[in-house]
Amino acid sequence: MTVDLSVDFCGIKHENPFILAPSPSTDNLELLIQAFESGWAGAVLKTVAFNSRIVSRVFPMVTRVEQEAAFIGLQNIDLVSEHSVETIEQNVRILKERFPNKIVIPSIMAFTKDDWQTLTKRFIAAGADIIECSIWHPHGTEWTLCTKVEEPVGTEQIASWVKEAAEDVPVVIKLSALDSDIIATAEAVERSGADGVSAINTIKSITGVNLDTLIPYPNIAGLSTYGGLSGPALKPIALRCTAEIAQKVDLDIAASGGITTWQDSAEFLLLGASTLQICTAVLRFGLGIIEDLKQGLESWMVEKGFQSLTDVIGKSLPYLVEHSWLPRGIQVVAHIQKEICDTCGACYTACRSGGHNAIIWTNGFPEVEADNCIGCGICRAICALNAIILIRPGRELKCSPLV
């Protein structure tokens, strides 16, 4: 069985759903050429402002975010592209001439109607397939436009300006999870006539504080600032935004935020995304991850019997309901699989700290007293080895785990 990874996004066919997100990787023409040659379907070029002279970088721009030495993301204080509009226009022309079937998406930022529309028209004339609008930026008051336009009315106005100038060329608006109501803003985008949304942008954050110097990271000559968080830490938030938008708004969705593996990719597609924008994973593992992403997704689709992405997109949305709709009265208890357990005791601590004291030690192993267990699942969530399953009481050997 063969599967078709091509997808229609905003009326334009993509050879696969994998798109480079706006980042340093998409601000370099040679890297973009390498990416297209290696199999990426397209790229969103690093955001360009109407007046590139306002860009003034500081270094270092990127810091690692970790928990107990495990990588969970990056924080950046990078700004928009340092290249001029003319340079980005030329890059668009070169890419479209060399790769006519790849999707080239300039990301634009402006402050007035004339500037938004001028940028739009110039990039369309250069050959852009889609225009993406970056309305929100997490760095500094001179870049943070959310106070002026992130609310639905302002977003709708900008989106309508850009769509008016773009005419038949699709327009995508990038949304932020920090919006007070991302669904209201997505509905405003829909009213504007724009074609899709990208969800989500990086999240305004602080990496941490150096406990010796007392200066927050990153340390820029003794000062610091807020940055944009990207990477795996964003995935649960981005999944939520993708699903909510897909359930409530009739717009194509480009998902972004924490996509690292083909499994992540499948999850976003199942929750309503049509394309997948990836940045942090590329910085960690290189442009070559595209092969693993495509092959993994293809193999999973074959296993599940999906012939095309049309069969996948949104498939999991019907299972998402309001809390009040969830079935009540189903009793489960925890069961510890001794063949997997390493007796670390994390489940015991969790149950004693926030559960119902249902886990005891027997002959050197933790064991669940079913009469005390209410099935809260805290112990299972804490277990790093996935040694704990939830089952119906009294059926440990006869039923599958409830997940």
Side-chain angles (χ1 to χ4, degrees):
M1 173 181 168
T2 59
V3 298
D4 181 9
L5 286 185
S6 68
V7 64
D8 182 284
F9 177 73
C10 294
I12 296 179
K13 183 177 180 179
H14 295 51
E15 65 185 70
N16 63 63
F18 299 109
I19 305 294
L20 287 175
S23 68
S25 303
T26 63
D27 207 31
N28 181 300
L29 181 59
E30 291 304 315
L31 286 176
L32 287 165
I33 291 172
Q34 291 178 33
F36 287 173
E37 289 176 340
S38 63
W40 293 85
V44 182
L45 308 188
K46 191 174 181 183
T47 303
V48 61
F50 187 81
N51 186 347
S52 61
R53 290 175 297 176
I54 61 179
V55 178
S56 179
R57 283 178 167 76
V58 295
F59 301 95
M61 297 186 298
V62 180
T63 52
R64 175 187 174 97
V65 185
E66 60 183 34
Q67 183 68 33
E68 297 180 352
F71 177 91
I72 61 172
L74 295 175
Q75 186 209 59
N76 81 85
I77 57 170
D78 196 5
L79 300 177
V80 296
S81 175
E82 61 183 337
H83 297 308
S84 66
V85 174
E86 291 77 13
T87 298
I88 304 298
E89 282 178 306
Q90 183 62 16
N91 288 348
V92 172
R93 293 190 185 95
I94 292 171
L95 290 170
K96 289 306 298 181
E97 289 173 2
R98 185 161 176 176
F99 304 98
N101 295 321
K102 300 292 185 178
I103 310 303
V104 179
I105 309 170
S107 172
I108 63 174
M109 175 185 283
F111 294 87
T112 69
K113 177 180 179 180
D114 287 344
D115 290 350
W116 281 107
Q117 293 193 330
T118 297
L119 282 177
T120 299
K121 292 176 180 178
R122 288 179 64 170
F123 284 122
I124 289 174
D129 297 290
I130 297 170
I131 299 294
E132 182 170 294
C133 300
S134 183
I135 292 177
W136 185 91
H137 203 283
H139 314 318
T141 55
E142 70 270 36
W143 292 98
T144 304
L145 307 186
C146 61
T147 54
K148 298 179 181 178
V149 303
E150 187 62 21
E151 295 304 318
V153 172
T155 301
E156 182 176 354
Q157 183 179 61
I158 289 176
S160 64
W161 291 342
V162 176
K163 187 58 186 175
E164 179 183 45
E167 298 181 346
D168 294 335
V169 174
V171 171
V172 172
I173 307 298
K174 193 156 194 175
L175 303 182
S176 168
L178 295 179
D179 194 333
S180 59
D181 188 340
I182 195 170
I183 298 305
T185 302
E187 291 171 341
V189 173
E190 186 176 28
R191 291 193 301 270
S192 75
D195 306 270
V197 293
S198 172
I200 54 177
N201 207 332
T202 57
I203 293 180
K204 191 174 184 179
S205 60
I206 297 174
T207 303
V209 179
N210 185 307
L211 298 184
D212 292 323
T213 66
L214 310 185
I215 300 171
Y217 300 108
N219 183 334
I220 312 296
L223 296 174
S224 189
T225 190
Y226 301 94
L229 177 66
S230 67
L234 262 64
K235 180 186 168 186
I237 300 170
L239 281 172
R240 184 268 298 178
C241 292
T242 297
E244 284 192 328
I245 295 168
Q247 285 183 319
K248 298 179 181 179
V249 182
D250 186 20
L251 289 170
D252 284 352
I253 303 170
S256 179
I259 303 170
T260 304
T261 65
W262 70 261
Q263 293 94 332
D264 298 331
S265 305
E267 292 175 18
F268 277 94
L269 293 166
L270 287 166
L271 290 178
S274 295
T275 59
L276 309 162
Q277 295 186 12
I278 302 175
C279 167
T280 301
V282 172
L283 298 178
R284 292 179 70 194
F285 306 115
L287 294 168
I289 65 167
I290 186 62
E291 282 305 311
D292 290 336
L293 294 172
K294 291 195 299 182
Q295 290 175 12
L297 187 58
E298 285 177 348
S299 297
W300 172 76
M301 289 174 65
V302 169
E303 177 186 333
K304 302 299 291 184
F306 297 130
Q307 294 185 332
S308 71
L309 288 186
T310 303
D311 301 328
V312 178
I313 295 171
K315 190 77 172 180
S316 294
L317 290 174
Y319 301 109
L320 278 174
V321 298
E322 296 295 332
H323 190 282
S324 60
W325 289 21
L326 295 174
R328 263 62 177 176
I330 300 175
Q331 179 61 48
V332 296
V333 297
H335 172 69
I336 301 171
Q337 303 172 93
K338 289 186 177 180
E339 67 275 16
I340 301 176
C341 176
D342 66 355
T343 67
C344 71
C347 60
Y348 176 83
T349 300
C351 193
R352 295 280 160 174
S353 302
H356 284 67
N357 295 333
I359 296 179
I360 61 174
W361 285 92
T362 304
N363 298 324
F365 275 91
E367 186 175 289
V368 177
E369 292 186 315
D371 290 343
N372 293 332
C373 180
I374 66 168
C376 66
I378 295 175
C379 60
R380 183 183 67 164
I382 292 295
C383 180
L385 297 180
N386 296 317
I388 302 177
I389 58 177
L390 299 180
I391 62 174
R392 297 289 181 85
R395 302 182 186 180
E396 294 180 3
L397 302 179
K398 298 180 181 180
C399 70
S400 300
L402 299 176
V403 294

